[in-house]
Amino acid sequence: MNLQELKNNRKILTEYSYEKKDLYRGYTDKTLYINISNNEVKVKDVSDRMKEKFIGGKGYGMRYLWDAVTPETRWDSEENEIIVAVGPVGGITQYPGSGKSLVCTISPMTDIPIDSNVGGYFGPYLKFSGFDALEIQGKAERDVVIIIDGKEKTVRIEEAPLEAVDGHILGEQLTNMYGNSESEKRLVSVITAGTAAEHTRIGILNFTFYDLRRKTARMKQAGRGGIGTVFRNKKIKAVVVIAEEVKGNLNNAFDQGIINETGIKLHREMAHLDHLQNNMRKIGTANIIEVMDAYDLLPVHNFQYGSHPDTKKIESKVFIRDYCTQNMPDGCWYGCSVACSKAADNFELKTGPYKGHKVVVDGPEYENAAGVGANCGIFDPHAVLELNFYCDTYGIDTISYGTLTAFAMECYERGIINKEITGGLDLRFGNADASLALIHQMAKGEGFGLIAGQGVHRMKKHFVENYGADAAFLEDIGAEQKGLEYSQYMSKESLAQQGGYGLTNKGPQHDEAWLIFMDMINNQIPTFENKAEALHYFPMFRTWFGLLGLCKLPWNDIVPANNSETEEPAKIQEHVDNYHKLYYGITGTKIDSAEMIRQSERVYNFQRIFNIRMGKGLRKNDKTPYRTMGPVTKEEYLSRESNYEKQMIELGFDLTGKTVEEKIALLRKHRESQYEQLTDAVYKRRGWTMNGVPTPEKLKDLGMDLPELLEVIKPYL
Amino acid sequence: MLLNNRIFDHYRENMTIGDVIEVMRFTYPRLVVKVNGRLIQKSEYNSTILNENDDVKIHHLLAGG
């Protein structure tokens, strides 16, 4: 379909002109509010108090979301919002990883706030067009596209009946529609979802960035928690932003020199050390596929095992050798020398509606390969990339898709579900064809894809209620908590990482704390107090990236040559100091590590109380499925029998005459008790009650003793 | 010998840091190695011979995705 035909069928619902405010020290102090129920558009001022308490990015997202919803709001309520926000550092082009957007909404998976970070050009272009954040509320009657035109200083809502829905097609259509030349296309960024986001709860948002060398609009994903499902439920096909220009000082920094100098230092590290360290420039995060396998941490067969002999078929060098184009500047924002956004070019699809098409696949990232690959027993690199592609273009989360498919496969192999229930899908571990058929069903909204697309939490209920499955067993093996699927790391042998997943705000995503090596291998945090300190520091430190508009990868996927000589190498203090400099260089305000953590704590505690307000966020919601803590089944136990027995003997257990089942029960009792003790220690360190509720004293100390927060926690004190 | 504060079961005489890394299958490239508090550079892994009473730390600098 040609672009003119698409345009001819557009109907303008509203057009709003605004006066663009230029950035000053990283902020415009204006945000854009759009209501697609009544087509209201307005510009809001950001107060000094808002800036002080919430900083930007996820902080702004959480604050606006709180104000928009009530405890009764659900993901598909009209008042639910999708907020896209950047942060004061977001959009600089001198320091790697400075183009992240944070997206918040009430999640269809968890019924609590979700936040998901994403690269691509949208967030910075939104800022350059005059807005620190975008709020979208309401529901359109028919499919719409929203256009934020930073050149013309207009915002339009237009009915768009003929545009595609799948991400890679729609991203391309709209980039071509609003960019008349290659240089203009670079100034366009588009948010899309995809057809499967309409039929599942695991929808994502794709954020485009135009790749001049490949001459195509590529995509990064706000993956977790079903934000794309909310997007399509609101009947939004796309949001387009058109920037007037991109240059290095658009943030109007307090001291551009500091930013330049700090950036050059990191670029040098990347140039000199990346090939000796993680090879991010060659293969991105997929460099750890074989590392996780070697350390028994790669989820295999629904988190039962941590390695597999066939991992070599999907290890990073296979993708480097056979699929991912090398020596391309694969950054998802300008100036990112980490360049981890690898892509497989001219990849020919073997299945689905785009069968035979040669496409660009953005990936694989580690989570893709581990989730849709190893965790489902699929060790075919082509299938991994094809699933990766369809997850993205259909608009579904590869992490949730991997975990929920692995769960369905285990249920199938154990006879809990069968071919009659799956509609003929032979969901054995390793059956890539079945997984591809499942994903196409999700896009069409048919068959078992509809059931699976609801996620592990709802599949468990469905299998119990309709097929007489053993509820306790499904609770044990279903890798979800708070309704969100686990991401792709084995936490069984690391108590700290069990907390890193379980004691999170949004659910078991590893972006708060990834402590497996510090704990399990390095043994650096042996006591509950040590683990609690790590489960305070790292989640708060990592939250800060989401307030500022930064990517986490340049913090620790490259380290200075002398990092090992520092007092705490795990913190990579030189890079932390870089962040202090960037903050100062942009805003003119000096901060140290303590203030950095406090800035995060304010938002983290706000989000915790938001969870409580929405009906979760207490201790009972932080419990985790036993599959992620230890061996549920005999086979799992026997696969690590000597390790488990050694551990129990060291703990003083008498195993004489005990059956395997009795040993599993003993180990389980011990590990569950350990998790409870860890929970006590972490809550204490975070300044929470033993029910997981932030105390008024803690809130006062943080300057967050806001009346609306105190009101929520009062009944729990 | 202690490895990361745990008794190292595979100790043998004249073992080097390189041998420990091999026995433990520590394949990750970014390691911080200390013997009795002294930092050992990668170039010294195969020449640093360990004693039975040594306190060895081999820390992996990997903090995930």
Side-chain angles (χ1 to χ4, degrees), chain A residues 294-295 521-522, chain B residues 1-28 31-35 40 42 44-60:
Chain A
Y295 289 83
I521 311 283
N522 301 348
Chain B
M1 192 192 98
L2 283 178
L3 173 62
N4 294 343
N5 292 325
R6 297 179 182 116
I7 292 167
F8 182 59
D9 294 331
H10 308 285
Y11 178 78
R12 54 181 162 72
E13 228 173 295
N14 294 324
M15 203 169 201
T16 64
I17 289 289
D19 295 331
V20 175
I21 288 171
E22 195 178 323
V23 167
M24 295 303 291
R25 289 189 241 164
F26 287 165
T27 54
Y28 185 65
L31 301 175
V32 179
V33 179
K34 287 184 178 174
V35 176
I40 308 293
K42 197 170 187 172
E44 301 173 286
Y45 287 176
N46 290 329
S47 57
T48 304
I49 295 177
L50 298 166
N51 296 311
E52 203 170 352
N53 296 324
D54 279 342
D55 177 3
V56 179
K57 303 257 189 333
I58 302 181
H59 287 176
H60 294 62

Side-chain angles (χ1 to χ4, degrees), chain A residues 277-278 294-295 489 510 514 517 520-524 542 552 556 559 563 565 569 646, chain B residues 4-6 9 25-30 32 39 41 58-65:
Chain A
Q277 296 183 10
N278 288 336
Y295 289 83
Y489 297 100
H510 57 277
W514 199 96
F517 273 74
M520 181 178 111
I521 311 283
N522 301 348
N523 196 25
Q524 287 170 283
R542 285 173 171 236
K552 163 259 161 198
N556 74 342
V559 301
N563 185 64
E565 295 161 22
K646 187 176 171 218
Chain B
N4 294 343
N5 292 325
R6 297 179 182 116
D9 294 331
R25 289 189 241 164
F26 287 165
T27 54
Y28 185 65
R30 287 192 305 168
V32 179
L39 186 69
Q41 299 297 337
I58 302 181
H59 287 176
H60 294 62
L61 203 58
L62 177 60

Side-chain angles (χ1 to χ4, degrees), chain A residues 339-354:
Chain A
C340 70
S341 299
K342 308 319 293 181
D345 292 299
N346 298 310
F347 181 84
E348 187 166 345
L349 297 165
K350 292 182 178 173
T351 69
Y354 307 111

Side-chain angles (χ1 to χ4, degrees), chain A residues 16 18-22 32 122 124-131 146-156 178 187-189 240-245 250:
Chain A
Y16 174 90
Y18 66 94
E19 195 176 325
K20 189 173 99 177
K21 182 157 177 248
D22 287 333
L32 179 63
F122 189 94
Y125 286 1
L126 180 71
K127 258 176 81 167
F128 302 160
S129 297
F131 307 108
I146 297 167
I147 305 111
I148 301 162
D149 190 334
K151 280 183 189 168
E152 301 296 325
K153 283 85 177 170
T154 59
V155 178
R156 296 193 304 279
Y178 295 103
L187 294 171
V188 175
S189 180
V240 181
V241 66
I242 305 159
E244 194 170 13
E245 60 177 345
L250 285 180

